């Protein structure tokens, strides 16, 4: 009787294409956002940024579900994120508002494109820091505002203002503040909740959380730009708010002199 066990068939290379196809889709969405912004179609550009965010959230989950994680996929995902959440939001904001700062003179015009570059550079630094610390930080927290969240904040700001009838020329200084603030938050040391949980005990989702998620989805379906802007702004502010809360808790209590 032959006791030899049949050798398992090696996993086909085709299945490794599945998560990378999602990454490629996100890269295409970011590239399309840049093209749409150069053509003045800012609604389409902002929607493309959010599509890239959805695909970015799916590629890692698909890789884990199919057990097809690879170092190539990690590096490819980072490069795609740099385009979708670094260059695309920066150029969307530049073409919508920051280029209009040249109306105030040569120096303000340079400040406009420099601010756009600062955002893109901060996104690159944020992604590089995340990759270098992926195995050493608490998975429950992001150190600095995640680049997809920063991109969502910038894109929803442009989308909402354009939907309300405002032009980039009218809000160019407010757009400058949003761009620089989003970039600095990415490279800050502020902690942001990652919604990833901390183990098997955290796999159970409370019923209230399900209700909140459903309410958010309904709100997005009714008025996407304003609801997404509210979510992005609240999440961006949660980092400084949590840091202030931790500092107040650690503040020493002064004792009265005997």
């Amino acid at each position: 009787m032959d006791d030899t066990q049949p050798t398992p068939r090696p996993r086909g290379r085709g299945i490794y294409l599945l998560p990378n196809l999602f990454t490629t889709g996100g890269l295409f969405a970011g590239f399309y956002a840049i093209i749409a912004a150069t053509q003045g179609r800012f609604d389409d550009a902002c929607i493309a940024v959010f599509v890239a965010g959805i695909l970015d959230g799916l590629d890692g989950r698909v890789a884990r579900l199919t057990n097809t994680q690879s170092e190539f996929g990690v590096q490819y995902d980072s490069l795609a994120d740099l385009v979708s959440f670094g260059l695309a939001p920066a150029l969307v904001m530049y073409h919508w508002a920051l280029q209009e700062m040249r109306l105030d003179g040569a120096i303000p015009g340079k400040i406009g494109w420099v601010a756009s570059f600062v955002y893109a550079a901060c996104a690159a630094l944020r992604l590089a820091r995340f990759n270098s610390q992926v195995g050493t930080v608490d998975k429950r927290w992001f150190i600095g505002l995640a680049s997809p969240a920063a991109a969502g904040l910038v894109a929803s700001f442009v989308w909402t203002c354009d939907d309300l009838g405002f032009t980039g020329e009218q809000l160019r200084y407010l757009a400058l503040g949003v761009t620089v603030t989003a970039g600095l938050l990415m490279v800050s040391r502020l902690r942001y909740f990652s919604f990833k949980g901390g183990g098997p005990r955290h796999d159970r989702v409370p019923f209230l959380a399900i209700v909140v998620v459903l309410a958010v989805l309904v709100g997005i379906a009714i008025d996407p730009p304003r609801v997404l802007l509210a979510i992005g702004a609240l999440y961006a502010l949660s980092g400084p708010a949590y840091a202030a809360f931790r500092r107040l808790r650690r503040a020493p209590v002064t004792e009265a002199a005997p």
Side-chain angles (χ1 to χ4, degrees), residues 120-135:
C122 289
L125 293 171
R126 173 67 177 80
L127 290 167
R129 185 175 68 182
F130 176 79
N131 290 340
S132 63
Q133 298 178 348
V134 67

Side-chain angles (χ1 to χ4, degrees), residues 20-94:
N20 292 326
L21 283 176
F22 283 92
T23 304
T24 304
L27 177 60
F28 174 79
F31 180 79
Y32 177 81
I34 296 174
I35 298 298
T38 59
Q39 297 175 349
R41 296 183 288 114
F42 298 109
D43 286 356
D44 294 340
C46 296
I47 293 173
V49 171
F50 283 105
V51 171
I54 294 173
L55 294 175
D56 178 67
L58 290 175
D59 58 1
R61 287 171 174 78
V62 169
R64 288 189 292 271
L65 288 174
T66 57
N67 194 24
T68 55
Q69 303 98 317
S70 65
E71 184 62 26
F72 172 83
V74 173
Q75 300 303 324
Y76 184 39
D77 182 67
S78 293
L79 292 174
D81 288 352
L82 178 57
V83 175
S84 300
F85 309 129
L87 293 177
L91 291 175
V92 169
M93 184 67 89
Y94 175 77

Side-chain angles (χ1 to χ4, degrees), residues 42 93-103 109 112-113:
F42 298 109
M93 184 67 89
Y94 175 77
H95 285 289
W96 181 70
L98 297 182
Q99 69 174 351
E100 302 299 337
M101 295 190 66
R102 62 191 174 184
L103 299 175
W113 66 259

Side-chain angles (χ1 to χ4, degrees), residues 6 13 54 99 103 107 115 122 141 164 171 182 192 199 227 253 255:
R13 292 184 178 180
I54 294 173
Q99 69 174 351
L103 299 175
I107 293 179
C122 289
W141 303 96
L164 291 174
L171 302 179
Y192 287 88
V227 173
V253 180
E255 297 182 357

Side-chain angles (χ1 to χ4, degrees), residues 156 159-160 219-229:
S156 61
W159 192 5
T160 300
I220 293 175
I222 295 174
D223 194 347
R226 294 168 182 79
V227 173
L228 289 172
L229 177 59

Side-chain angles (χ1 to χ4, degrees), residues 162-222:
D162 189 66
D163 187 64
L164 291 174
F166 293 102
T167 64
E169 179 182 350
Q170 294 172 322
L171 302 179
R172 56 187 181 274
Y173 285 100
L174 180 59
L176 176 68
V178 171
T179 304
V180 174
T181 300
L184 295 180
L185 286 176
M186 281 191 285
V187 296
S188 69
R189 301 295 301 176
L190 298 174
R191 292 173 122 193
Y192 287 88
F193 190 60
S194 67
F195 303 100
K196 292 184 178 180
R201 294 177 55 188
H202 296 80
D203 291 339
R204 297 179 180 178
V205 180
F207 179 75
L208 180 60
I210 299 176
V211 175
V212 172
V213 170
L214 289 176
V216 169
L217 292 177
V218 171
I220 293 175
I222 295 174

